[in-house]
Amino acid sequence: MTILFVSDLHLHASRPAVTDCFLRFLADSASQAEALYILGDLFESWIGDDAPGPTGVQVSAALRRLTDRGVQCHFMRGNRDFLISGRFAAESGINLLADEAVIDLYGERALLMHGDTLCTDDHAYQRYRRIVHWPITQALYLALPVGTRKRIEARLRSKSMEAYSNKPAMLMDVNQQAVAAIMEHHGVSLLIHGHTHRPAIHQLATAQGEAATRIVLGDWYEQGSVLRWTRSGPALKPIPLH
Ligand code: MN
């Protein structure tokens, strides 16, 4: 049996090869698996479940085909698609996870996160995140007409790209104390997350000096990326786009 993990696909109409690659992945690898975990940033942007756009509609239908076959599909929101909610989940058949979820992975407890909350050195981002996660902010935003929401989203996205290009690389990575603290809080020695686009399997030590593992999933830009977990353990592999 196989459990698959992906994140940071950033699906968008401007990159149809990536969407096609993901649809193929859902139809073949994922349909043979026991479960698929999508750990955030499936979409480059999400302005509400009532306005999924053509890519959102296509992906929702493909996820539905997968979940109808009996493959469990779990989804955690990322910093790009944090507005994905109950309607999208009901239509696609996915199970929405909280921002921190502990699962049983062949007898080992694994903590799943998107990863943005681990980048605690980026104070400007954490401040922005708090504001956009207030229920009142989301309710006000979702009450706006679709065109207005699109304009606001486009402006925030160009601002974030501008900020990104000016930020030192270290700010964009996880903070090691934050990693240690969250793993200790959940009592786990295995953490799987995405967000940083720095795929790797890191061996580290817990505060108690025990061996621990942090697995970072890769993004889907030049290629796809999947973490495949079988009884024999994890394998982090690229997927060619063509
Ligand atoms: Mn992200």
Side-chain angles (χ1 to χ4, degrees):
M1 282 306 225
T2 304
I3 299 175
L4 303 173
F5 300 86
V6 296
S7 72
D8 303 286
L9 295 96
H10 294 265
L11 300 180
H12 190 264
S14 64
R15 298 188 306 126
V18 178
T19 304
D20 289 347
C21 181
F22 182 58
L23 295 177
R24 278 199 307 277
F25 165 78
L26 291 181
D28 26 322
S29 311
S31 66
Q32 313 293 318
E34 183 183 353
L36 168 66
Y37 286 86
I38 302 171
L39 300 187
D41 288 356
L42 172 60
F43 298 104
E44 173 67 8
S45 68
W46 195 260
I47 62 166
D49 287 2
D50 58 334
T55 305
V57 168
Q58 211 181 1
V59 169
S60 176
L63 289 170
R64 180 90 240 177
R65 284 192 290 278
L66 183 71
T67 53
D68 278 349
R69 292 182 64 136
V71 178
Q72 293 173 38
C73 182
H74 305 274
F75 177 84
M76 184 176 280
R77 300 170 181 92
N79 55 300
R80 296 270 176 206
D81 50 15
F82 61 87
L83 286 176
I84 283 185
S85 196
R87 179 168 159 186
F88 180 83
E91 286 171 4
S92 61
I94 59 166
N95 169 45
L96 282 178
L97 297 172
D99 289 349
E100 292 164 16
V102 176
I103 63 163
D104 183 304
L105 202 47
Y106 299 113
E108 186 171 4
R109 280 160 47 80
L111 171 62
L112 311 180
M113 300 176 75
H114 174 59
D116 57 327
T117 53
L118 296 169
C119 300
T120 53
D121 295 318
D122 190 348
H123 301 294
Y125 169 71
Q126 297 301 337
R127 207 159 38 234
Y128 161 81
R129 187 185 192 278
R130 271 196 298 280
I131 295 168
V132 297
H133 277 76
W134 287 336
I136 185 74
T137 316
Q138 297 191 359
L140 288 170
Y141 178 76
L142 290 170
L144 294 168
V146 169
T148 314
R149 276 186 260 163
K150 276 189 184 154
R151 278 196 296 282
I152 294 172
E153 191 280 326
R155 197 174 312 162
L156 286 175
R157 198 142 62 95
S158 74
K159 272 197 170 177
S160 109
M161 279 175 189
E162 200 183 291
Y164 180 88
S165 59
N166 292 322
K167 273 177 196 171
M170 160 250 174
L171 281 194
M172 312 305 292
D173 205 353
V174 299
N175 173 291
Q176 297 303 333
Q177 281 88 47
V179 168
I182 200 82
M183 291 180 79
E184 186 169 7
H185 174 76
H186 289 282
V188 296
S189 54
L190 172 60
L191 167 64
I192 303 172
H193 71 84
H195 182 66
T196 61
H197 301 198
R198 296 172 191 201
I201 300 183
H202 298 281
Q203 303 301 337
L204 43 136
T206 64
Q208 285 72 38
E210 287 159 23
T213 307
R214 176 171 72 92
I215 302 182
V216 189
L217 306 175
D219 64 68
W220 290 49
Y221 279 95
E222 306 305 323
Q223 60 196 10
S225 178
V226 62
L227 173 68
R228 181 180 295 275
W229 208 296
T230 60
R231 289 204 185 279
S232 50
L236 190 54
K237 291 269 169 62
I239 304 173
L241 279 195
H242 299 285

